[in-house]
Amino acid sequence: MGCICCICEVCFAAMKTLVLGIGNTLLSDEGVGIHVLHALAAESPLPDDVELLDGGTLSFTLAGPIEEADALIVVDAANIKSEPGTWKLFEGEAMDAFLLGNRKSTVHEVGLTDLRAIAILAGHWPERRAMLAIQPEVVDWGEFPTSAVASAIPPVCAAIRQLIEVWRHDA
């Protein structure tokens, strides 16, 4: 049994967290998941057991890293039926329901749903999981997000850091 003081290293047991950014950075707002990863990497360092992974436009090669993670955070552009730049956090079963119920909300969700199925079949779909979905404005040729979507990047980064901290304290 671990320490009960909540101030020592034992209380913050290593939990491998994968932050998976999804998107195509050649399609303006569609690449927001990758832009969030770059912003996180440029800020103060994350804990050593947090991995930032550019998932691009998804492939089955991501099944391994997802299965190896104790916790998973996915960041992607998605149609959440809101104003451009609005973001929403789907955590745990709410993430699963969003993925399964809105298969056409992003160009990637069929792939992410498939990766979820692979992880479940392998016996490891992280119990701690979340998706931060950001409403795009423009999905067309362009290397940078629109100003509305770019303004969502700092609060999404803060939400990711807060989620990691909460999960570390609950571990």
Side-chain angles (χ1 to χ4, degrees):
M1 186 162 160
C3 175
I4 59 169
C5 70
C6 291
I7 58 171
C8 69
E9 291 291 323
V10 173
C11 294
F12 300 104
M15 173 180 63
K16 183 176 179 186
T17 301
L18 176 64
V19 181
L20 179 62
I22 299 173
N24 184 336
T25 56
L26 298 176
L27 294 176
S28 192
D29 292 344
E30 162 56 27
V32 71
I34 310 308
H35 294 298
V36 166
L37 288 186
H38 292 187
L40 278 169
E43 293 176 354
S44 59
L46 290 160
D48 291 339
D49 56 355
V50 175
E51 177 184 0
L52 303 178
L53 181 62
D54 179 340
T57 55
L58 289 176
S59 87
F60 288 107
T61 62
L62 295 172
I66 290 172
E67 291 172 21
E68 294 168 4
D70 298 309
L72 172 67
I73 300 172
V74 177
V75 186
D76 195 8
N79 183 4
I80 55 173
K81 300 179 175 108
S82 297
E83 293 295 315
T86 302
W87 59 276
K88 186 168 183 179
L89 172 66
F90 297 95
E91 193 172 352
E93 291 181 11
M95 174 184 171
D96 299 343
F98 179 75
L99 292 175
L100 295 171
N102 299 293
R103 293 179 67 87
K104 299 203 185 266
S105 292
T106 82
V107 295
H108 310 299
E109 284 186 11
V110 171
L112 191 53
T113 302
D114 292 338
L115 289 170
R116 176 184 173 271
I118 291 168
I120 289 170
L121 287 172
H124 192 74
W125 179 235
E127 182 178 330
R128 289 185 173 100
R129 61 191 177 279
M131 178 177 182
L132 287 108
I134 304 166
Q135 179 69 49
E137 181 175 7
V138 174
V139 179
D140 200 357
W141 296 111
E143 293 182 44
F144 303 102
T146 59
S147 60
V149 171
S151 69
I153 294 173
V156 166
C157 288
I160 291 169
R161 287 179 178 277
Q162 181 179 16
L163 190 58
I164 291 168
E165 192 63 29
V166 167
W167 286 351
R168 289 175 66 85
H169 284 288
D170 290 346

